[in-house]
Amino acid sequence: EIVLTQSPGTLSLSPGERVTLSCRASQSVSSSYLAWYQQKPGQAPRLLIYGASSRATGIPDRFSGSGSGTDFTLTISRLEPEDFAVYYCQQYGSSPFTFGPGTKVDIK
Amino acid sequence: EVQLVQSGAEVKKPGESLKISCKGSGYSFTNYWIGWVRQMPGKGLEWMGIIYLGDSDTRYSPSFQGQVTISADKSISTAYLQWSSLKASDSAMYYCARPYYPSRLNDAFDIWGQGTMVTVSS
């Protein structure tokens, strides 16, 4: 089973700041089958990025993903008030398709 | 509109059985995989397993194998998650979710249900 580690656990930031979230896998994620999701309180997760770097439909271009192998990054170029949430990575290259523990981005 | 609609919240006692549902609409249900994800209170997302509606091919996470059963009835475009004997530790929100591409197992979850809250308490 591939274990995903996300860092940091929590980030306290201000609107307008640039954010970089990390996701590290215990073994290589095949074909860059790595996704990022955003979850707000009381809501289902929302897909942001798939294939490590492709934005899902309707996702603003301030969200970008990069990486390959075992190291992946989600970047939010300029935080908007609606971006304060928890972010999860998920690998879907090898079953079970595990999630990382999440990074909470909250308002400073 | 493509959507997954899940059954309502449940309150059960330990040892009881339960089956929750996830109904798809707005797309060809049998051409897709449907996955189940657990979220315990205040915790992260856990991938439980996934079923292909075309032939009921099912994969489980080792953490959930033998603890739950994933099934489907393609005639009514519905996937199910069931327990034969609930425990207090099964109390959680359960989401169903569908990948973007048809017939593709290795794909991110693009469409999510609204979640079903399961509470198990004596």
Side-chain angles (χ1 to χ4, degrees):
Chain A
E1 173 174 323
I2 295 178
V3 177
L4 300 179
T5 304
Q6 291 186 245
S7 60
T10 303
L11 271 175
S12 295
L13 297 164
S14 301
E17 290 196 78
R18 179 183 178 88
V19 186
T20 301
L21 307 181
S22 171
C23 176
R24 180 162 291 175
S26 60
Q27 54 189 281
S28 184
V29 176
S30 59
S31 304
S32 293
Y33 284 150
L34 192 287
W36 290 92
Y37 300 86
Q38 176 193 68
Q39 188 180 32
K40 297 178 182 179
Q43 296 184 17
R46 177 175 73 143
L47 177 65
L48 299 175
I49 300 289
Y50 64 94
S53 60
S54 298
R55 271 188 301 277
T57 303
I59 301 304
D61 60 8
R62 65 179 181 273
F63 291 92
S64 63
S66 63
S68 64
T70 60
D71 289 295
F72 299 88
T73 299
L74 174 70
T75 300
I76 310 173
S77 60
R78 186 178 171 85
L79 268 175
E80 297 289 339
E82 63 267 28
D83 298 337
F84 291 94
V86 180
Y87 293 85
Y88 296 95
C89 59
Q90 181 206 18
Q91 67 81 21
Y92 51 95
S94 173
S95 182
F97 297 159
T98 47
F99 289 92
T103 292
K104 183 178 183 180
V105 178
D106 63 19
I107 300 175
K108 184 187 286 185
Chain B
E1 181 192 4
V2 175
Q3 60 179 348
L4 298 173
V5 178
Q6 298 185 230
S7 49
E10 301 274 1
V11 179
K12 291 288 192 179
K13 293 184 177 354
E16 292 186 331
S17 63
L18 176 63
K19 193 174 190 177
I20 63 174
S21 66
C22 169
K23 183 174 177 61
S25 63
Y27 69 97
S28 180
F29 195 72
T30 55
N31 291 345
Y32 286 84
W33 293 81
I34 292 286
W36 288 95
V37 176
R38 183 175 80 174
Q39 188 166 40
M40 300 178 77
K43 302 298 184 183
L45 306 172
E46 299 174 89
W47 189 89
M48 302 176 70
I50 197 165
I51 186 167
Y52 183 64
L53 282 304
D55 61 6
S56 293
D57 182 8
T58 307
R59 318 289 173 89
Y60 291 94
S61 165
S63 299
F64 293 93
Q65 179 89 48
Q67 308 305 308
V68 297
T69 300
I70 294 171
S71 62
D73 184 342
K74 60 185 179 183
S75 70
I76 55 171
S77 303
T78 301
Y80 300 99
L81 179 66
Q82 69 180 93
W83 296 259
S84 58
S85 181
L86 286 160
K87 302 184 284 288
S89 57
D90 293 319
S91 295
M93 179 71 82
Y94 293 89
Y95 293 102
C96 63
R98 194 208 79 174
Y100 181 78
Y101 287 105
S103 304
R104 186 179 294 186
L105 171 63
N106 300 96
D107 197 8
F109 288 140
D110 187 49
I111 305 294
W112 291 71
Q114 83 278 20
T116 296
M117 186 69 210
V118 174
T119 303
V120 183
S121 175
S122 54

